[in-house]
């Protein structure tokens, strides 16, 4: 039973790593493989519950918006009547979605992501697993950043020297997606360092990892990524300085400034285009939108035209085309602003779901960054900063439409949720001393036991 449980947990982290390395899992073959692997993991999870006689599931509210969005996407595909005959073609069903197929595929994708989220939340049932997730983020983020920097010199336009793209970085086909991924992985160790949640013998490795990830993010050339990272660092400062005295605040700000100088200096010494140089080029050119303003203006027309129910989740490309005033040489598939796209795709229903999600996130951040446990408080600060950074980045790009970025975002949400609970194997300080709590706080993970609740595949013994 322990082997099955551990294999599920490890498999979920391996999925995040492989999804990142597989070009971010944005192509149909890699997406199909992701769905198959998650189906296998779900079956093992159910098998483990059957063997044990109970199935552990999570009740955390973070899962609700994802599931609600998938259900609404399916509702948008329900036909009600038919469209009038067009060019001799009749019998076309009338649906809320302009593209029922795309909405159905979007619903499938969100349901698989919800499955990943639910299983991961259920698997983090002890403090040791929080530490393992942190170690995974730290080591993978460090190694992946080093690889991305190396590839930017050896093969700047080809991923793994094979797949050619205009602006790739690391294994992502778009540098903004790489930046979004790294702004999350860098936030966790940085938040822990600034919270004092890292043991002395590990601080050098954490600092080294943060520096390399910061250099990689700058070298990606993503201006949105740089702004998002600065927003994440700002949140860390807010969360970590409010409880310190004046002297500690000055030291913390000084250390942060020194780390930033090292990262910028490292990026300059290594060379190549960086986010800073692209900001300078933009300022000289007088263009800070790179056509985003045009896309956002058209998106507002899509929103007003399809209120209150939206044009269909996943159907933005079809909804945008009739209002597009450009020459049509390139097709716009995303709004480059996820908040506007939520309104365009799902209307007021999507706005309510998104608002509920944002409220639950910020409410959880406020609660978990004040927990008594020093280690979990540091992890919560880092996870909160990474989540906030991506939410800021979503103002300029559509990074959460990339599967690998979404999976890491879910991992950070899981850490944030898990840090608000108490565990029997909690470590109350950063020096490794173990303490057991006399009273265990009620958690958001509920075992559905075999007797009197839900049976898993067997008859009760009498």
């Amino acid at each position: 039973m322990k082997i099955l449980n551990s294999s599920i947990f490890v498999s979920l982290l391996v999925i995040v790593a492989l999804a990142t390395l597989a070009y971010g899992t944005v192509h149909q073959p890699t997406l199909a493989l992701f769905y198959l692997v998650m189906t296998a993991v779900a079956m093992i999870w159910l098998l483990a519950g059957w063997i044990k006689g109970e199935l552990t599931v999570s009740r955390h509210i973070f899962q609700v918006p994802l599931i609600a969005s998938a259900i609404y996407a399916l509702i948008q595909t329900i036909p009600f009547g038919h469209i009038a005959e067009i060019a001799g073609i009749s019998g076309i069903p009338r649906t809320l979605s302009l593209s029922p197929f795309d909405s159905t595929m979007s619903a499938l994708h969100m349901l698989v992501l919800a499955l990943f989220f639910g299983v991961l939340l259920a698997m983090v049932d002890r403090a040791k697993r929080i530490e393992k997730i942190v170690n995974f983020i730290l080591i993978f983020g460090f190694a992946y950043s080093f690889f991305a920097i190396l590839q930017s010199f050896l093969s700047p336009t080809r991923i793994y020297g094979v797949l050619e793209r205009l602006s790739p970085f690391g294994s992502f086909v778009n540098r903004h997606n790489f930046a979004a991924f790294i702004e999350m992985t860098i936030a966790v160790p940085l938040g822990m360092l600034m919270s004092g949640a890292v043991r002395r013998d590990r601080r050098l490795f954490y600092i080294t990892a943060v520096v390399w990830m910061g250099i990689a993010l700058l070298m990606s050339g993503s201006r949105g990524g740089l702004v998002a990272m600065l927003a994440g660092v700002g949140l860390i400062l807010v969360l970590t300085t409010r409880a310190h005295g004046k002297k500690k605040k000055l030291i913390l700000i000084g250390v942060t400034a020194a780390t930033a100088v090292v990262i910028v200096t490292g990026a300059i010494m290594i060379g190549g285009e960086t986010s800073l140089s692209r900001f300078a080029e933009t300022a000289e050119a007088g263009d800070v939108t790179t056509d985003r303003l045009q896309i956002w203006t058209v998106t507002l027309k899509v929103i007003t035209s399809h209120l209150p129910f939206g044009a269909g989740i996943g159907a933005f490309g079809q909804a945008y085309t009739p209002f597009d005033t450009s020459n049509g040489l390139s097709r716009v598939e995303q709004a480059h602003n996820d908040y506007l796209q939520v309104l365009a795709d799902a209307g007021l229903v999507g706005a309510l779901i998104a608002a509920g999600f944002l409220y639950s996130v910020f409410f959880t951040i406020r609660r978990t960054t004040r927990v008594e446990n020093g280690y979990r408080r540091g992890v919560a600060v880092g996870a909160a900063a990474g989540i906030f950074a991506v939410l800021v980045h979503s103002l300029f790009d559509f990074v959460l439409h990339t599967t690998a970025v979404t999976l890491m975002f879910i991992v950070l949400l899981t850490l944030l949720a898990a840090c608000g609970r108490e565990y029997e194997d909690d470590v109350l300080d950063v020096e490794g001393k173990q303490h057991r709590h006399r009273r265990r706080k009620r958690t958001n993970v509920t075992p559905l036991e075999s007797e009197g609740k839900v049976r898993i595949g067997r008859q009760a013994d009498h």
Side-chain angles (χ1 to χ4, degrees):
M1 181 59 205
K2 246 183 178 181
I3 296 174
L4 281 177
N5 193 282
S6 297
S7 66
I8 295 169
F9 177 73
V10 172
S11 296
L12 295 174
L13 298 184
V14 170
I15 286 172
V16 176
L18 293 180
T20 305
L21 297 175
Y23 307 119
T25 309
V26 293
H27 302 105
Q28 291 303 323
T30 53
L31 281 170
L33 184 60
F34 167 60
Y35 298 156
L36 287 173
V37 171
M38 267 313 303
T39 301
V41 170
M43 291 177 67
I44 296 172
W45 175 54
L46 291 172
L47 176 63
W50 184 83
I51 293 173
K52 189 179 178 182
E54 61 184 31
L55 183 67
T56 302
V57 298
S58 172
R59 297 182 289 111
H60 203 282
I61 195 171
F62 280 171
Q63 302 168 92
V64 175
L66 199 54
I67 297 172
S69 298
I71 293 173
Y72 186 58
L74 292 175
I75 291 173
Q76 289 179 313
T77 66
I78 297 174
F80 55 97
H82 294 84
I83 299 174
E85 183 176 318
I86 301 175
I89 301 176
S90 60
I92 300 175
R94 184 187 299 275
T95 59
L96 293 175
S97 174
L98 297 181
S99 178
F101 175 78
D102 289 318
S103 294
T104 302
M105 294 307 298
S106 296
L108 171 64
H109 188 68
M110 287 186 285
L111 288 174
V112 176
L113 290 174
L115 178 62
F116 175 89
F117 200 179
V119 176
L120 184 59
L121 280 168
M123 289 297 103
V124 184
D125 56 357
R126 65 201 76 164
K128 200 173 238 185
R129 289 199 167 163
I130 294 177
E131 186 177 358
K132 287 181 178 179
I133 293 177
V134 169
N135 290 338
F136 163 75
I137 293 173
L138 181 70
I139 296 170
F140 183 75
F142 171 60
Y144 184 58
S145 297
F146 186 81
F147 154 75
I149 293 171
L150 189 63
Q151 182 177 257
S152 69
F153 288 103
L154 299 178
S155 181
T157 61
R158 290 179 180 269
I159 303 173
Y160 306 130
V162 178
L163 182 65
E164 187 165 6
R165 285 293 184 269
L166 289 175
S167 60
F169 206 86
S171 58
F172 288 96
V173 297
N174 187 292
R175 59 186 166 204
H176 303 298
N177 295 331
F178 173 86
F181 188 86
I182 295 300
E183 69 202 27
M184 289 187 283
T185 60
I186 194 176
V188 174
L190 187 59
M192 293 176 66
L193 282 168
M194 294 173 68
S195 302
V198 181
R199 287 165 47 181
R200 290 189 187 94
D201 58 334
R202 297 183 181 179
R203 286 174 189 167
L204 181 59
F205 178 59
Y206 272 68
I207 292 171
T208 304
V210 165
V211 168
W212 275 106
M213 284 188 273
I215 291 173
L217 193 148
L218 281 181
M219 290 188 65
S220 71
S222 172
R223 290 165 294 190
L226 177 59
V227 171
M229 184 182 73
L230 293 175
V233 172
L235 181 64
I236 292 174
L237 284 171
V238 170
L239 295 175
T240 55
T241 58
R242 64 187 178 191
H244 297 315
K246 186 176 180 180
K247 185 177 179 181
K248 284 190 175 181
K249 286 181 181 179
L250 291 174
I251 292 173
L252 188 59
I253 293 172
V255 171
T256 305
T259 304
V261 169
V262 171
I263 291 172
V264 173
T265 304
I268 293 172
M269 290 180 65
I270 291 174
E273 183 186 51
T274 67
S275 303
L276 296 173
S277 63
R278 292 193 73 230
F279 261 118
E281 291 169 3
T282 300
E284 291 178 4
D287 175 22
V288 296
T289 63
T290 59
D291 293 327
R292 282 178 173 80
L293 186 58
Q294 162 69 13
I295 295 173
W296 296 341
T297 302
V298 176
T299 301
L300 289 174
K301 294 179 182 179
V302 174
I303 292 170
T304 55
S305 177
H306 293 280
L307 282 176
F309 301 112
I313 296 176
F316 182 81
Q318 288 82 352
Y320 185 93
T321 301
F323 300 95
D324 190 3
T325 56
S326 61
N327 55 24
L329 290 177
S330 60
R331 179 180 170 86
V332 177
E333 296 284 353
Q334 312 293 344
H336 290 269
N337 181 312
D338 277 340
Y339 303 95
L340 290 179
Q341 187 155 347
V342 165
L343 286 170
D345 285 359
L348 296 181
V349 176
L352 288 173
I353 293 172
F357 171 70
L358 293 176
Y359 175 79
S360 66
V361 167
F362 287 109
F363 176 81
T364 306
I365 288 174
R366 185 178 178 183
R367 180 171 58 86
T368 56
T369 54
R370 296 179 179 180
V371 296
E372 180 186 354
N373 183 291
Y375 180 81
R376 285 193 284 108
R377 184 170 61 249
V379 174
V381 168
I387 292 166
F388 183 64
V390 170
L391 293 177
V392 170
H393 200 159
S394 294
L395 288 167
F396 318 109
D397 287 303
F398 48 97
V399 292
L400 285 174
H401 293 240
T402 303
T403 306
V405 176
T406 307
L407 290 176
M408 181 55 72
F409 187 72
I410 288 174
V411 169
L412 294 194
L413 288 172
T414 301
L415 281 178
L416 186 65
C419 287
R421 304 197 294 260
E422 293 182 0
Y423 306 89
E424 291 182 353
D425 62 336
D426 261 337
V427 178
L428 293 184
D429 53 51
V430 298
E431 300 304 325
K433 295 180 181 178
Q434 297 280 345
H435 301 266
R436 286 194 176 272
H437 294 284
R438 295 178 183 176
R439 179 175 60 87
R440 188 168 183 179
K441 193 176 180 181
R442 185 178 178 183
T443 74
N444 281 315
V445 175
T446 305
L448 302 181
E449 297 174 355
S450 58
E451 195 166 85
K453 293 185 181 179
V454 177
R455 293 297 303 170
I456 306 296
R458 295 192 300 236
Q459 294 296 321
D461 296 326
H462 297 289

